[in-house]
Amino acid sequence: MPVELVLRELGAGMTIESIIEEHPRLTADDIRAAQAFAADYLADEDVIYR
């Protein structure tokens, strides 16, 4: 399952439990790993404020 989909479901308000219920092959650790991956990826991005 793509990290993007996990993040979109979290962003849409789904809980970790509801994501696992919808995608039973995932674990809570998988979802936390997706969040950590995204945070690490974004940490290297330059943010431009206007």
Side-chain angles (χ1 to χ4, degrees):
M1 175 169 195
V3 168
E4 177 190 2
L5 184 55
V6 172
L7 296 175
R8 288 191 185 277
E9 289 182 346
L10 287 168
M14 290 181 73
T15 64
I16 290 176
E17 293 78 16
S18 63
I19 294 171
I20 292 170
E21 191 172 299
E22 188 170 306
H23 307 282
R25 294 182 70 191
L26 290 179
T27 66
D29 284 341
D30 293 331
I31 294 168
R32 284 190 290 273
Q35 291 175 301
F37 173 83
D40 289 344
Y41 179 83
L42 292 173
D44 292 332
E45 293 293 309
D46 291 329
V47 177
I48 299 172
Y49 296 97
R50 294 180 191 230

